[in-house]
Each structure stands twice: as structure tokens, then as C-alpha cells.
Amino acid sequence: MRIRSTLAARSALAAALAWTPVPGILAMFGLSWLTPLPAEAQPTAQAAPAPARPADPLDALFEAAGRGETAGLERALADPATGRDRRALLRAALAASRLDPAAAREPALRRLAAGRDPALRRAALRIMTSSAFATGDYAEAARAGRLLAEALSAAGDAHGAEATARTWRLAALLAPHGRSRVAGPVRPGSIVARRDRVGLTRVTFSVNGQPQVAVFDTGAALSVLSASTAARLGVRIEEGATAIGNGVQGNVQTRIGVAPRVEIAGNVLTNVAFLILDDASLNFPQVPGGYDIPAIIGMPEMRALGRIRMEQAGRFTVLPPAAPGEGEEGAANLHAAGNQLFADVSIGGRTVPLLLDTGADRTSLTALYAESEPARIAALRTGQANAASAGGTRVQRFAIWPDAPVALDGRSLTLPQLNIELPGSGPEPDDNGTLGSDVLRRFESYTLDFRAMRLRLGAPVEAGSGQ
């Protein structure tokens, strides 16, 4: 989840709680106020040299798949020169990107994970870790993730090894409890949804029979409760803790809580795991009047519901499964990497998968995108942001793209301003950027179908409607 306000002439506030895809299930907490450089001091944006990328083509393919870029996997699979073992890995990776539980059951994976070819071994362990975490097989995610962290460290990938270590340690805490499940078949139902004063969507669900307002956040790899909220709702806090990273390269401690019963729109989920964070990590006093987030509904619970719709008019609906042939026109435009969901978005005519984050009030691009478009970035003016987080502060620098053309699901629109973080101004990014609620709010509704892997947009919102 990222809350980021408009980069305007006056200072503006932003707060972030975001998750990176496996192999880095990390949390990022940040508050930032964005201050443009004075006009006379605004330099031309200069993209810094790109950091070292994997030398082995297979590592590069799977690193790209971890940020939703699956086209490379498909091209390699179609290449007649691709060998049998690599084909097996490519098929499994594509299945994992479609949230197909069969991905982790590809017979070749365990053989290659135990083999002597380092690149094949790393690729197999990546798929096993990611797919196991996404399907709630946390014991397997912990086992495979630990081996993957060791393999990445041996290959000199310290960043990947550290991120993966956090993943497997978190999976180890979750392992005794397994994944959440819907009790019985999913039933259609709807509840009221509302936008809060910073623009995030909140719905009311119940935990152990008690109502609780929560932010609806596709950018959260797990659901979240503040410590005081968990205590009030009677959520059992498990032994053990782990550290998750934040937006300024620091650490925030978290524990695991388990609720036997959670109800969303008339559907009961059992054995729901929550990350439990100190209240201070979810409280943002820099927002005028104060602002806190006591609870977040994350991806595992949304996926369990199968097909969901958010209407700007103020309803969240669990839909029945699509009928045969319904909504099959067009290719899938969603791709998964663990518990992260990426949507295909055209930015300036180039399709880029962006993290679908309903907890972000603005769409933005990362330094990884900036590295891939040096000529475009060099032509843009810049701004800067002082970003405060639970772990400290840092300065961010952005290129500012005015009137940026954007398209998704066959719809086109123009963003008055699109911010692109410049290389060297923050932690190394794991994805190209975020598709935020500023784009989704341009349409009367959006529907997520986790079986068809489709994001569908409703009719455009009429100008002046207040949406």
C-alpha cells in the first residue's frame, strides 16, 4: 500500500506500506512530503548507471518474472533451441504467474532444485518458493526459500539473498498454521465501501464475530492488524517474530496472529493469518489531524473469494464464478509473483507490468523504469521528496512526466502528472512501479478475476462526478 499525494507547489504528504514480490516479502513503511525543487534549480534528470543485473540469462528471465514480466518466459518456451529442463522450468513459472497450484507440482522442479547446475537450481527454487508461498504451503516455502537464499548468496546476489531470507523466515512463522480457507462454497454478497480522507478504500469485515474497518489493499501480501486491534479482536499472537524491511533500508519487527474466523461480504474464512505490527508503524501523525490504519485486508483473502468487484459508488461485491465463455475476450492482463499482482499497463505506448496496489492513491514508476528509458527521463524536470519512515529518513528525487498517456484493459487516459523515482535515491526497486487508485477511480468499477487473471474496468466516470 502506498499513499502518495500530488507533487504540488506546497509540501504534500505521503505514507506507504508496500510489499515486494517473492523472493522479497518485505514491508515498506514511509511518510513523505514531496517538495519540488525551485524552478531555477531544477536540473535535467540524468539516469544513473543501472546496477549490475544477473549475468546468466535464466536468472534474468526469472528476475523479470518476479516483477510480472512474463513475455520473456513465453519467448524462451517458444524457442526450439530451449532444452528440456529449461522448458519444464518455463512451463512451471508461467503456471505460477497464473496462480495455478499445479506449478509447484511440476515433477522436474525437485530434481533440478537438487541438481548440480547452479542456474537451473536457482530457477527451480525460485518457482518453488514463490508458488508455495502463494498457495499457503508455508512449510515448503520456508524449506525452498532457505535453500534459495543460500544459492543466491553463493552466486553473489546479496540483495536477493537478503530478501529471500526474510521470505523464508516469515514463511517459517506461518508454517504451523497453513493457509486460510473459505468455509463452504463462495457465496455472492456485497458490503459498503467508502473512501477515507486520504483516498484509500475501507470496508467493514468481522474478526471473531466483531466488526472491524479495514483498508482494502491488493498491494498487501498478507492481511495486517495493529497490535491494539489484534488484542481487542481476540486474535491469538504466536510465539516468534521476524524483521521486515521498510522504505529507508531499516527494519520493522512483526509477529503473526491467527484468527479462527473472518467474515467478508457474507463469506466466512477460517484460519486467517495476520501480520501484527506495533501501532506506531501504522500511525501517521504527519497527516493533518493524525491518521492511522488499524487493519488491512490483503491478497490471500481476496484471492480466496475468487472474483470481486469494487464500485466507485460505494460497494464491494463478491461475484459468482464467471460462466463458461463469460469475459473470455482478450488475453489475461494480470500476472502473479507470489502474493503480488501485476497488471499490464501501457505507459507512453510501451506495455509495462505495474504492481496493482489499491492501497496507493497515485500511480508512479520506479528507478527500474527510469533505467530503461534514459532518453525520456533526461527530457523531464525533477522534484525531490523527503521521505520519513519507521526506520529513519531519506531524500527521494523524481522525474516529473506531465500529461502521461496511460492505457489498460483497452481504455486510454491521461495522467496530469506521473512521478518517476530516479536511480540512487532509494532502495533498489524490485518492480517497475505501481498502478494506483487514481487510475482505477477513473472508472465506475473494476473487477478482479483471480481465475481468469483479468482486470476489467467499468464505464468511464463522467467528468465532474466527484470521483
Side-chain angles (χ1 to χ4, degrees):
M1 173 180 61
R2 298 186 178 108
I3 311 169
R4 194 179 300 283
S5 60
T6 303
L7 186 58
R10 59 184 176 80
S11 294
L13 179 72
L17 172 60
W19 304 89
T20 64
V22 170
I25 305 287
L26 312 180
M28 179 165 67
F29 306 92
L31 286 163
S32 64
W33 43 103
L34 307 182
T35 309
L37 299 172
E40 65 273 15
Q42 287 181 348
T44 298
Q46 297 293 330
R53 296 299 180 197
D56 190 287
L58 196 62
D59 280 327
L61 273 178
F62 281 92
E63 183 181 270
R67 54 180 179 264
E69 298 173 10
T70 59
L73 301 177
E74 293 170 346
R75 286 194 297 270
L77 188 59
D79 186 346
T82 301
R84 182 191 65 177
D85 287 342
R86 296 196 174 210
R87 285 183 179 279
L89 290 171
L90 294 166
R91 284 194 299 269
L94 286 168
S97 75
R98 297 188 294 266
L99 295 176
D100 183 349
R105 298 197 295 270
E106 167 64 50
L109 288 182
R110 286 192 177 274
R111 173 174 59 83
L112 295 173
R116 295 186 176 182
D117 185 310
L120 294 179
R121 185 166 185 267
R122 289 192 297 271
L125 288 169
R126 282 182 191 271
I127 299 167
M128 293 166 70
T129 303
S130 177
S131 183
F133 201 103
T135 57
D137 187 353
Y138 298 120
E140 174 63 5
R143 186 196 70 82
R146 185 168 189 167
L147 294 173
L148 176 58
E150 293 170 356
L152 292 171
S153 180
D157 184 356
H159 173 74
E162 180 184 3
T164 305
R166 298 183 187 198
T167 297
W168 78 253
R169 290 181 182 127
L170 178 58
L173 288 180
L174 292 164
H177 315 293
R179 67 183 179 92
S180 61
R181 299 175 182 273
V182 177
V186 174
R187 297 184 297 177
S190 67
I191 51 178
V192 173
R194 65 175 181 86
R195 283 171 57 191
D196 67 18
R197 61 194 180 89
V198 302
L200 298 187
T201 299
R202 299 204 183 204
V203 299
T204 299
F205 71 136
S206 73
V207 179
N208 298 333
Q210 300 183 66
Q212 175 61 51
V213 176
V215 170
F216 175 86
D217 188 2
T218 58
L222 291 170
S223 293
V224 178
L225 294 174
S226 69
S228 64
T229 301
R232 179 175 57 79
L233 296 175
V235 172
R236 184 178 74 252
I237 309 299
E238 303 299 320
E239 294 295 327
T242 191
I244 50 181
N246 68 7
V248 293
Q249 299 178 334
N251 291 316
V252 177
Q253 290 294 312
T254 185
R255 301 179 71 182
I256 298 298
V258 180
R261 179 186 173 93
V262 167
E263 184 173 345
I264 305 174
N267 288 274
V268 174
L269 293 88
T270 60
N271 196 43
V272 175
F274 292 90
L275 288 183
I276 308 299
L277 304 175
D278 289 342
D279 288 22
S281 296
L282 294 170
N283 181 268
F284 307 103
Q286 290 88 339
V287 175
Y291 181 80
D292 69 298
I293 301 171
I296 296 169
I297 297 175
M299 274 290 293
E301 284 60 61
M302 296 182 204
R303 282 183 48 202
L305 297 174
R307 187 168 173 245
I308 57 179
R309 175 174 297 156
M310 185 66 73
E311 299 176 14
Q312 303 304 339
R315 299 298 296 179
F316 167 75
T317 302
V318 177
L319 300 169
E326 180 185 354
E328 291 183 357
E329 63 276 11
N333 59 3
L334 294 176
H335 315 280
N339 274 3
Q340 293 291 57
L341 198 60
F342 294 87
D344 288 334
V345 182
S346 174
I347 308 288
R350 173 190 163 196
T351 298
V352 180
L354 299 183
L355 177 68
L356 178 60
D357 189 353
T358 59
D361 74 338
R362 283 194 63 185
T363 297
S364 61
L365 301 175
T366 68
L368 192 64
Y369 176 88
E371 292 161 7
S372 69
E373 296 279 358
R376 186 185 299 281
I377 299 304
L380 301 175
R381 66 185 180 92
T382 62
Q384 69 179 9
N386 297 308
S389 178
T393 62
R394 65 181 173 92
V395 175
Q396 297 175 324
R397 295 183 65 245
F398 294 88
I400 304 165
W401 185 350
D403 300 322
V406 174
L408 70 159
D409 191 32
R411 313 295 182 84
S412 298
L413 64 152
T414 299
L415 288 180
Q417 181 171 294
L418 180 61
N419 295 340
I420 308 168
E421 188 170 7
L422 296 177
S425 65
E428 182 180 339
D430 293 291
D431 55 51
N432 290 290
T434 296
L435 173 63
S437 58
D438 56 337
V439 169
L440 300 175
R441 285 196 298 265
R442 298 282 196 95
F443 303 92
E444 291 180 352
S445 68
Y446 61 89
T447 300
L448 300 176
D449 188 331
F450 293 103
R451 294 183 178 87
M453 293 302 285
R454 286 285 306 182
L455 165 65
R456 292 208 168 274
L457 301 171
V461 172
E462 294 183 6
S465 66
Q467 298 294 336

